[in-house]
């Protein structure tokens, strides 16, 4: 089954404690991205990756890092989380440049930073 | 910069009462306009892609249409299971990013 998976699904942490949210897709997609969703603000892109070892900032990258060492995985790293990073996070993937395919989304990770 | 505005923010309908959701957009060269459905606490689920003005697509009780400035999602004789937030997004040329609207929260009352 074609899918995007994320782990963990729920996470409660404290300010400053480094965390990683994993994302994996099994569709051999080149393009992957991370979004956060906040009430009244909609989905906003944090970072994206066009392919292995190619990443770039989206609209709200401050406080986040990403890496793309393998095509299927795109982890999101919060090195020093703060309460304003409390949000619902989604990973998404699509075939990539030259295609007009939609993006397929993971199930979401609800993060609470105390 | 690409922009998407959805209206209304929320809509409550009686079961069987048809209506339409609006998505207005500005984009520098439209590669695609996408409709998603999102249930609470879940990831957006793809519904439709529209590529050019005049295009229409249907799926069960949903029909999406596209003009050069807006898209409509028509819901015919809705059922309670159609209750969800409906998201509209656009992708412009030279850009893989999706720009989303804030969604319309649809509630169908039995």
């Amino acid at each position: 089954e074609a899918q995007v998976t994320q782990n963990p699904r729920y996470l409660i942490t404290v300010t400053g404690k480094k965390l990683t949210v994993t994302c994996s897709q099994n569709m051999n997609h080149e393009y992957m991205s991370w979004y956060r969703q906040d009430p009244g603000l909609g989905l906003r892109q944090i970072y994206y990756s066009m392919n292995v070892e190619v990443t770039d900032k989206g609209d709200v990258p401050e406080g986040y890092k990403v890496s793309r060492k393998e095509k299927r995985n795109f982890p999101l790293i919060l090195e020093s989380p703060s309460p304003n990073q409390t949000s619902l996070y989604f990973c998404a993937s699509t075939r990539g440049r030259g295609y007009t395919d939609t993006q397929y989304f993971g199930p979401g990770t609800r993060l609470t930073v105390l | 910069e690409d922009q998407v505005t959805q209206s209304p923010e929320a809509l409550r309908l009686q079961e069987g009462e048809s209506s339409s959701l609006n998505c207005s957009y500005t984009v520098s060269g439209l590669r695609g306009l996408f409709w998603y459905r999102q249930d609470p606490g879940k990831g957006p689920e793809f519904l439709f892609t529209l590529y050019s003005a005049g295009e229409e697509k249907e799926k069960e009780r949903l029909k999406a249409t596209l003009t050069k400035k807006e898209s409509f999602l028509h819901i015919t004789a809705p059922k309670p299971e159609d209750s969800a937030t409906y998201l509209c997004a656009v992708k412009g040329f030279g850009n893989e990013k999706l720009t989303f609207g804030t969604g319309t929260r649809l509630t169908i009352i039995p």
Side-chain angles (χ1 to χ4, degrees):
Chain A
E1 180 191 354
Q3 60 182 356
V4 179
T5 57
Q6 296 178 228
N7 282 293
R9 295 290 314 280
Y10 302 91
L11 180 59
I12 300 175
T13 189
V14 295
T15 299
K17 186 176 181 181
K18 181 179 179 179
L19 66 91
T20 299
V21 184
T22 65
C23 172
S24 184
Q25 51 91 6
N26 63 0
M27 295 169 278
N28 201 37
H29 284 169
E30 289 186 350
Y31 183 89
M32 297 183 73
S33 60
W34 277 101
Y35 292 86
R36 61 178 288 173
Q37 187 174 37
D38 302 289
L41 296 176
L43 281 153
R44 294 177 294 167
Q45 191 182 54
I46 302 170
Y47 266 95
Y48 65 93
S49 170
M50 299 296 290
N51 213 324
V52 175
E53 302 291 0
V54 180
T55 63
D56 207 348
K57 297 177 181 178
D59 296 322
V60 286
E62 293 76 24
Y64 304 95
K65 284 178 59 177
V66 293
S67 69
R68 187 93 181 271
K69 292 180 168 40
E70 303 168 281
K71 197 171 188 178
R72 64 183 294 128
N73 296 323
F74 190 43
L76 179 69
I77 304 157
L78 285 72
E79 295 211 324
S80 184
S82 62
N84 65 11
Q85 293 178 297
T86 293
S87 187
L88 183 57
Y89 291 86
F90 292 102
C91 181
S93 74
T94 189
R95 276 197 289 178
R97 193 185 297 277
Y99 297 98
T100 53
D101 300 4
T102 188
Q103 292 190 24
Y104 293 90
F105 285 80
T109 295
R110 184 167 293 282
L111 172 65
T112 302
V113 183
L114 302 174
Chain B
E1 186 177 327
D2 302 343
Q3 287 189 318
V4 176
T5 303
Q6 291 187 248
S7 61
E9 285 188 18
L11 182 62
R12 290 170 63 90
L13 300 172
Q14 293 289 330
E15 183 172 0
E17 180 185 1
S18 301
S19 188
S20 297
L21 313 182
N22 178 262
C23 170
S24 297
Y25 67 92
T26 56
V27 63
S28 53
L30 180 69
R31 286 177 59 196
L33 183 140
F34 305 89
W35 282 99
Y36 287 85
R37 170 193 170 124
Q38 186 177 25
D39 294 301
K42 295 190 175 181
E45 176 189 339
F46 170 70
L47 293 173
F48 302 109
T49 308
L50 301 168
Y51 297 105
S52 59
E55 190 174 1
E56 300 182 353
K57 289 195 176 173
E58 288 188 66
K59 180 179 180 179
E60 295 181 357
R61 296 175 293 281
L62 301 176
K63 178 180 176 180
T65 62
L66 181 65
T67 72
K68 288 187 178 179
K69 293 183 179 179
E70 56 191 351
S71 176
F72 292 93
L73 186 65
H74 306 279
I75 301 176
T76 302
K79 299 181 178 181
E81 53 262 41
D82 294 322
S83 297
T85 295
Y86 290 85
L87 301 172
C88 175
V90 296
K91 183 188 287 190
F93 279 103
N95 192 351
E96 294 301 322
K97 184 183 79 167
L98 286 177
T99 299
F100 281 87
T102 52
T104 294
R105 187 172 67 254
L106 177 66
T107 304
I108 307 300
I109 304 161

